[in-house]
Amino acid sequence: MTALLTLGTADAALRGELTAAIVSKGYGPKPPLLATVLAAGFSDRIVGALESGGFLEVVAWIEQACERYAPRRQVISMLEAACTIARPILRSRADLRAAVDDLATLEHALGRAIERYAQHDMRSTDAGLEDIEGAMAGFLARLDNADPASAEHSRAVGLWCKRIARRLALDDDECTFAARSGLLHDVGKTMTPKEILQAPRGLTDQEWNVMREHTQIGAAMIREVPLLRPFTSAARWHHERLDGKGYPDKLAAREIPLHVRIVTVADCFNAMIGRRPYRLPMSPSAALEQLVTHRGTQFDPMIVEAMSDVVERAD
Ligand SMILES: [Fe+2]
């Protein structure tokens, strides 16, 4: 990131604006004093990151805050909310817009922190990792009931995500994270009317609007289950595009976390090679061509390349 600002009084104002916005939302741990301390710390680090051009220090601070303050879940929830609140504030200032991209790094760090602490909590309550598996299986069973084709698609997307992540040389944890994100990305379709999901034709504009809601609905469903909260981003953002023309939040480029960009490619590829009531399946090579055509606008070119390698090796 380039030097964004000459910091001075403007940034004391920004620090104050961020802190006040975060505190006024009423998120955060009790007592409220701790919420205020965290909001001020977060805002300080964000402004510091704008000065230094790097967000690594903020990530380190988030880790420390999660270690230091209890209850951890509330601390993490608050910091997550703080990222969301900071986004439009930074976006509203032309000179800070580049920094918005880096919030995705923070959100990813928070997602991993949630996952780590969820696993830690499970260990300390003598529960096993299979509880995450059980919670995921519950969602998949509901999706199977609502629309078996969507459940089958989700399982396939999970497998593609794992293969792509391996091809990108991500570590085992990241590969599992990507695979689970793929598996859960479409759970919101549980609530989409069957006549829309299974329409034997293209959808009307109005039906598309209903269909698109599966992103927010899925995110809300996943958010209800603390163990699965790290997967909220994949459910909400897997129809975002690199060029900012996706939905529901019109994120762009690095605002979209890596694991979500993996899910997007896997999802579109698997949808194209699958049968739909109103069209024949595409061949894998034709589907890859589509990914290549839309790399850089819809898809991350690095992930399209990894997907091509995965498919060609499978051949
Ligand atoms: Fe979807």
Side-chain angles (χ1 to χ4, degrees):
M1 187 167 48
T2 52
L4 288 164
L5 309 171
T6 310
L7 289 175
T9 51
D11 297 289
L14 174 62
R15 188 182 288 120
E17 186 183 354
L18 280 171
T19 305
I22 295 164
V23 171
S24 73
K25 295 285 178 186
Y27 297 107
K30 306 284 183 274
L33 180 61
L34 177 54
T36 308
V37 167
L38 281 169
F42 179 86
S43 306
D44 268 354
R45 270 34 178 225
I46 291 279
V47 173
L50 297 173
E51 280 177 317
S52 65
F55 272 63
L56 281 180
E57 204 196 313
V58 194
V59 174
W61 177 80
I62 285 172
E63 294 280 331
Q64 282 168 12
C66 295
E67 284 293 339
R68 186 166 170 193
Y69 297 110
R72 282 178 179 156
R73 272 193 208 294
Q74 281 193 42
V75 170
I76 293 170
S77 299
M78 173 176 178
L79 294 175
E80 255 195 328
C83 285
T84 309
I85 292 162
R87 188 188 299 283
I89 293 175
L90 298 188
R91 215 195 261 274
S92 68
R93 279 180 46 175
D95 57 336
L96 299 183
R97 221 161 271 155
V100 177
D101 283 357
D102 292 292
L103 283 180
T105 311
L106 299 192
E107 282 160 3
H108 188 65
L110 280 167
R112 300 316 310 273
I114 293 165
E115 188 176 37
R116 237 184 345 270
Y117 290 124
Q119 288 177 9
H120 177 272
D121 287 354
M122 275 194 298
R123 276 198 298 276
S124 59
T125 56
D126 222 12
L129 191 61
E130 55 273 15
D131 283 356
I132 281 191
E133 303 285 352
M136 293 198 315
F139 273 129
L140 257 288
R142 285 168 69 182
L143 190 55
D144 242 327
N145 256 337
D147 183 45
S150 291
E152 190 188 330
H153 167 74
S154 295
R155 290 189 184 94
V157 170
L159 287 174
W160 286 121
C161 287
K162 184 156 211 159
R163 292 177 191 139
I164 295 170
R166 280 211 187 111
R167 186 69 201 164
L168 292 169
L170 302 185
D171 67 28
D172 286 351
D173 278 358
E174 295 281 355
C175 290
T176 303
F177 187 62
R180 289 172 170 169
S181 298
L183 197 63
L184 291 175
H185 77 285
D186 259 350
V187 291
K189 286 187 176 171
T190 306
M191 311 301 279
T192 307
K194 263 196 176 110
E195 56 273 22
I196 292 181
L197 271 184
Q198 299 170 359
R201 52 175 169 76
L203 299 180
T204 64
D205 287 350
Q206 200 177 11
E207 287 169 332
W208 265 119
N209 287 339
V210 175
M211 179 67 113
R212 288 191 185 103
E213 287 171 2
H214 77 277
T215 51
Q216 292 111 308
I217 292 170
M221 288 168 65
I222 291 175
R223 190 170 278 277
E224 290 294 303
V225 182
L227 284 177
L228 299 184
R229 285 192 56 204
F231 307 107
T232 307
S233 53
R236 186 171 179 97
W237 290 334
H238 67 275
H239 289 290
E240 299 289 351
R241 297 168 47 118
L242 240 53
D243 60 9
K245 293 179 179 169
Y247 63 89
D249 296 316
K250 298 196 184 313
L251 302 186
R254 282 187 300 147
E255 283 186 282
I256 310 167
L258 175 65
H259 68 283
V260 181
R261 283 178 266 142
I262 292 174
V263 172
T264 302
V265 167
D267 177 29
C268 289
F269 177 81
N270 198 67
M272 286 189 280
I273 65 170
R275 186 175 292 280
R276 287 287 182 277
Y278 53 91
R279 67 155 172 77
L280 291 171
M282 268 186 204
S283 68
S285 59
L288 281 179
E289 266 176 45
Q290 286 297 311
L291 294 182
V292 169
T293 302
H294 298 287
R295 69 185 165 189
T297 50
Q298 189 171 356
F299 307 115
D300 182 332
M302 173 182 77
I303 295 167
V304 170
E305 195 180 327
M307 184 82 210
S308 300
D309 290 344
V310 165
V311 173
E312 278 155 18
R313 278 197 316 177
D315 287 346

